[in-house]
Amino acid sequence: MELIKAVYQATDPDRDPQVLAENIAREQSLELTRALIADDIAERMLGRVLDVVALDNNRWRLVIGYPAELASGQSGQLLHLLYGNVSFYQRIRLTDIELPAALLDRLPGPSAGLPGIRAWTGAVNRALLMTVLKPRGSSPEVLAAQALAFARGGGDLIKDDQNLVEDCIDTFRQRVSACAQAVDRAAQETGRRCLYLPHVTGSGEHMSRQLDIVAGLGLGGVVLCTWIMGLETAATAARSRGLMWLSHPAMAGALTEPEQTGVASRVLLGTLARVAGADISIFPGHGGRIQSGRASDESATCRALTEVLGNIKPALPCTGGGKTLEQAPLTARMQGPDCAVLVGGDLIARGSRITADTRAVIAALNDIASS
Amino acid sequence: MELIKAVYQATDPDRDPQVLAENIAREQSLELTRALIADDIAERMLGRVLDVVALDNNRWRLVIGYPAELASGQSGQLLHLLYGNVSFYQRIRLTDIELPAALLDRLPGPSAGLPGIRAWTGAVNRALLMTVLKPRGSSPEVLAAQALAFARGGGDLIKDDQNLVEDCIDTFRQRVSACAQAVDRAAQETGRRCLYLPHVTGSGEHMSRQLDIVAGLGLGGVVLCTWIMGLETAATAARSRGLMWLSHPAMAGALTEPEQTGVASRVLLGTLARVAGADISIFPGHGGRIQSGRASDESATCRALTEVLGNIKPALPCTGGGKTLEQAPLTARMQGPDCAVLVGGDLIARGSRITADTRAVIAALNDIASS
């Protein structure tokens, strides 16, 4: 039987670690005491303990195997299986996963992914630069001017700030159209396409109309707040219009940041976002305003998004969280060419120098790639 | 200006608490340094610090006001505003919120809520009893027999286990139809309607077809895993078919359980689930297999779901997490009549005594209400 392997870290376990592992295996799969489960069902569907190892005085590594069938080929259900009820256990953190071929073959993965983004932008072999349009409340003209200045400098990707939200669909259309035109205009000047990703929010008909507008403008993708909207909901929304999906990590810090609970960044914002179909996954990296306490997270999340994983395309890791423009080349040196660096406020603060400064950083990223 | 008030608890703050509060106010609203925000936009939209108080040696209470406009009348955006990026800050927990009338008037709240559930079930003045159909892998006949036995005993609510998931829509239809028929049959015998709530998963067309089947069978509502599917997505899905929505808390423990991070249960599974439109919100209560370390959470979450809140209907709090049948009357005594108690495995374990034992507990709940 093909198993989904989940590695949990238990800190100061409240019961014998072997018993705890068996409790988790049952909780997450069939949620019933063994005596009440028919043998054939238990054999086919019950989670099983694969390994229990002491890591140090107070931490244990619990490896549990879940029959692949339990995920039902749905990325939402996979997330649920890995960390649904156990999120209410005390001091249990999901630190690693291994997905079998039988499941990987059923999960969508990115539709465009890293190769698609390289093809769109023409940035074929180097790290990419992304900026953000903000603040909310600005006129479409102000935001379009930001987009134009960055795209003229050869910037690769522009995302709407995740705070840009319109109550009214016409306001959304006006703003997004203005920014799309700015990026188009820059493309005619530079001969390169900058990928502009508007922020789509809400649900139902309201979300649907925004997606129609984005697709109708010929734009390549959208920003979706995955952990607000739902992992699988976001994937399905973008795919329904053939749009690329930039996964924004808002709320996900509740899972990635605690030491003893939650889900490691490389699993949540790496592998799970990727198998669900995120083309780009943003996460806070080193050195910015927001940063994880864990030094290894940036590299590990980059790797999870790009390493070989069945037939699933690589996604583009985007490291952000308030980085400065100077940090872009540093990040590219550290993470290699298969990443994007997000610079927001620091670029906006440059005012009339946005285009020139963007051009200089893109040149630096090119140099790093060819050196 | 009407403000959304958010109370955060900062533990061992990594900077001066007043500065930290200002950083959060800016991060969550416009995410840009003040100098780069035009005055009129700042005045209208920037979050503001209302209070900063030391709680003890290492904990501070930060009260921040966000202009109500920032939530855009969307429950997803409200969640984002309250805890999106700040989830990546270190040791910040959202412990309380206060929503202004201007926002409450735009949020849906439950469509049926507690009054609707009392009307459906005929349990007009007492605590309610809920059970779960499981395990996954069981035949429709086995699950229908569980439903029949419980409904015959006068049980009020039946939910599908959140592990019951079908890859195939026909399998879903067969299972749900069988259980719906069982509940119907019991209603003809008892003269009372038990509310059966099937579990609907996934996204897009797959989810939509499940909702159609549930509505087509004349059932009253569905179980949705809110924190997998997305808060607002779940609300919109249920409402699109006029179905009641039982909000299951899977994954939410990552927010509610840590002491120093996340969001308090009464806020997340209480107020936020309610204003988004949950008719029933399940959360782990006292004394079961899964339980929060915080003794006051059960009462506080019950209160948040039922207390006066603008024109928003009360929702039904459902306390679960592996309770036994004996704990149902105890819970009703502690929480009063406006709650449901979820008993799963302990009831299934009773086999041929399910109907009689259910009947006895319903009688006990009636006695408590009239005493």
Side-chain angles (χ1 to χ4, degrees):
Chain A
M1 178 183 300
E2 293 205 83
L3 294 175
I4 297 163
K5 285 185 195 157
V7 181
Y8 300 95
Q9 173 193 284
T11 306
D12 293 326
D14 58 6
R15 63 202 90 167
D16 175 80
Q18 180 72 34
V19 172
L20 177 59
E22 280 158 17
N23 290 167
I24 294 173
R26 205 168 54 217
E27 181 78 49
Q28 294 299 102
S29 56
L30 298 177
E31 205 191 321
L32 204 57
T33 50
R34 178 61 187 85
L36 295 175
I37 305 170
D39 287 345
D40 60 320
I41 295 176
E43 195 161 313
R44 213 178 95 203
M45 294 196 166
L46 198 59
R48 53 213 66 182
V49 177
L50 302 178
D51 203 11
V52 174
V53 192
L55 292 171
D56 51 33
N57 278 341
N58 67 332
R59 293 183 312 155
W60 295 73
R61 183 175 185 268
L62 318 177
V63 185
I64 298 184
Y66 300 111
E69 176 183 0
L70 289 174
S72 298
Q74 299 174 14
S75 52
Q77 203 52 32
L78 174 61
L79 181 61
H80 183 274
L81 173 66
L82 292 167
Y83 203 68
N85 271 17
V86 82
S87 70
F88 285 95
Y89 278 48
Q90 303 300 304
R91 299 178 298 286
I92 303 291
R93 181 167 169 89
L94 176 66
T95 57
D96 229 329
I97 57 171
E98 202 182 302
L99 306 178
L103 179 60
L104 287 175
D105 287 347
R106 293 188 61 191
L107 293 170
S111 53
L114 180 56
I117 291 158
R118 291 207 179 282
W120 181 285
T121 59
V124 293
N125 66 346
R126 59 162 170 82
L128 291 91
L129 183 65
M130 183 187 298
T131 197
V132 192
L133 304 183
K134 57 183 168 185
R136 178 167 177 168
S138 305
S139 69
E141 293 71 29
V142 165
L143 298 171
Q146 284 177 19
L148 182 63
F150 178 75
R152 269 184 172 154
D156 302 298
L157 306 135
I158 298 174
K159 71 179 269 288
D160 278 354
D161 189 44
Q162 74 286 351
N163 296 307
L164 288 188
V165 182
E166 276 85 14
D167 303 19
C168 162
I169 203 78
D170 287 330
T171 318
F172 175 84
R173 184 187 289 111
Q174 283 159 25
R175 179 175 64 73
V176 172
S177 303
C179 297
Q181 280 166 22
V183 168
D184 259 353
R185 185 171 147 199
Q188 285 162 20
E189 294 173 18
T190 63
R192 281 190 57 230
R193 282 198 299 182
C194 174
L195 178 60
Y196 166 50
L197 307 154
H199 180 218
V200 165
T201 67
S203 56
E205 184 60 23
H206 183 68
M207 177 182 76
S208 186
R209 291 177 67 190
Q210 293 166 70
L211 292 168
D212 285 341
I213 289 169
V214 174
L217 288 166
L219 292 167
V222 285
V223 177
L224 300 173
C225 284
T226 303
W227 312 101
I228 301 285
M229 186 178 281
L231 176 69
E232 191 175 329
T233 308
T236 301
R239 198 167 281 253
S240 72
R241 305 300 194 286
L243 293 165
M244 288 185 247
W245 160 34
L246 182 155
S247 172
H248 188 278
M251 290 291 297
L255 290 130
T256 62
E257 295 312 295
E259 276 179 40
Q260 301 183 350
T261 59
V263 180
S265 173
R266 68 172 173 280
V267 174
L268 193 74
L269 308 178
T271 309
L272 288 173
R274 178 182 174 190
V275 298
D279 296 286
I280 308 172
S281 178
I282 295 194
F283 50 91
H286 292 308
R289 182 184 72 251
I290 301 175
Q291 50 180 316
S292 166
R294 272 171 289 287
S296 61
D297 280 1
E298 184 173 275
S299 299
T301 307
C302 284
R303 205 162 46 242
L305 289 161
T306 53
E307 68 192 356
V308 172
L309 183 67
N311 293 316
I312 299 216
K313 285 183 191 160
L316 175 63
C318 179
T319 154
K323 292 207 182 200
T324 63
L325 205 49
E326 279 70 24
Q327 289 172 320
L330 298 174
T331 305
R333 278 198 193 90
M334 195 148 45
Q335 302 303 346
D338 290 342
C339 72
V341 184
L342 174 60
V343 179
D346 183 61
L347 196 71
I348 294 172
R350 289 161 193 258
S352 62
R353 291 182 294 117
I354 291 178
T355 303
D357 289 359
T358 299
R359 194 174 288 131
V361 168
I362 295 291
L365 296 176
N366 268 319
D367 286 350
I368 292 166
S370 44
S371 67
Chain B
M1 177 184 299
E2 293 206 82
L3 295 175
I4 297 163
K5 285 185 196 156
V7 181
Y8 300 94
Q9 171 193 284
T11 306
D12 294 326
D14 57 7
R15 64 202 90 167
D16 175 78
Q18 181 71 35
V19 172
L20 177 59
E22 281 158 17
N23 291 167
I24 294 173
R26 205 168 53 218
E27 180 79 48
Q28 294 299 103
S29 56
L30 297 177
E31 203 190 323
L32 204 57
T33 50
R34 178 61 187 86
L36 295 175
I37 306 171
D39 287 346
D40 61 320
I41 296 176
E43 196 159 312
R44 212 178 95 204
M45 293 194 166
L46 198 59
R48 52 213 65 181
V49 177
L50 301 178
D51 203 11
V52 174
V53 191
L55 293 171
D56 51 34
N57 278 341
N58 68 332
R59 292 182 314 155
W60 295 74
R61 183 174 185 267
L62 317 177
V63 185
I64 298 185
Y66 301 111
E69 177 182 359
L70 289 174
S72 297
Q74 299 174 13
S75 53
Q77 204 53 31
L78 174 60
L79 181 61
H80 184 275
L81 173 66
L82 292 167
Y83 203 68
N85 271 16
V86 83
S87 70
F88 285 96
Y89 279 47
Q90 302 299 304
R91 298 177 298 284
I92 303 291
R93 180 167 170 88
L94 176 66
T95 56
D96 229 326
I97 58 172
E98 202 181 303
L99 305 178
L103 179 60
L104 287 176
D105 286 346
R106 293 187 62 191
L107 294 170
S111 52
L114 180 56
I117 291 158
R118 291 208 180 282
W120 181 286
T121 59
V124 293
N125 66 347
R126 58 162 170 83
L128 292 92
L129 184 65
M130 183 187 296
T131 197
V132 193
L133 304 183
K134 57 182 168 185
R136 178 169 177 166
S138 305
S139 69
E141 292 71 27
V142 166
L143 298 171
Q146 283 176 19
L148 181 63
F150 178 74
R152 270 186 172 153
D156 302 298
L157 305 136
I158 299 174
K159 72 178 269 287
D160 277 356
D161 189 44
Q162 73 286 351
N163 296 306
L164 287 188
V165 181
E166 276 85 13
D167 305 18
C168 161
I169 202 77
D170 287 330
T171 319
F172 175 84
R173 183 187 290 110
Q174 282 160 24
R175 178 175 64 72
V176 172
S177 303
C179 297
Q181 280 166 22
V183 168
D184 259 353
R185 185 172 148 198
Q188 285 161 20
E189 294 174 18
T190 64
R192 282 190 56 232
R193 280 199 299 183
C194 174
L195 178 60
Y196 166 50
L197 307 154
H199 179 218
V200 165
T201 67
S203 56
E205 184 60 24
H206 183 66
M207 178 182 74
S208 187
R209 290 176 68 189
Q210 292 165 71
L211 292 168
D212 284 340
I213 289 169
V214 174
L217 287 167
L219 293 167
V222 286
V223 177
L224 300 173
C225 284
T226 302
W227 313 101
I228 301 284
M229 186 178 280
L231 176 67
E232 191 176 328
T233 308
T236 302
R239 199 167 281 255
S240 71
R241 305 301 195 285
L243 293 165
M244 288 185 248
W245 160 33
L246 181 156
S247 172
H248 189 277
M251 288 293 295
L255 290 129
T256 62
E257 294 312 295
E259 276 179 41
Q260 303 183 350
T261 60
V263 179
S265 173
R266 68 172 171 280
V267 174
L268 193 75
L269 308 179
T271 309
L272 288 173
R274 179 182 173 190
V275 297
D279 296 285
I280 308 172
S281 178
I282 296 194
F283 50 90
H286 292 307
R289 181 184 72 251
I290 301 175
Q291 50 181 317
S292 166
R294 271 171 291 289
S296 62
D297 279 3
E298 185 174 274
S299 298
T301 306
C302 284
R303 205 163 44 243
L305 288 161
T306 53
E307 68 192 354
V308 172
L309 183 67
N311 293 317
I312 298 213
K313 284 184 192 161
L316 174 63
C318 179
T319 155
K323 291 208 183 201
T324 62
L325 205 49
E326 278 71 23
Q327 288 171 321
L330 297 175
T331 304
R333 279 198 192 89
M334 194 147 46
Q335 303 304 345
D338 289 343
C339 73
V341 184
L342 174 60
V343 180
D346 183 61
L347 196 72
I348 294 173
R350 289 162 194 257
S352 62
R353 290 182 295 119
I354 291 178
T355 303
D357 290 358
T358 299
R359 193 173 288 131
V361 168
I362 294 291
L365 295 176
N366 269 319
D367 287 349
I368 292 165
S370 43
S371 68

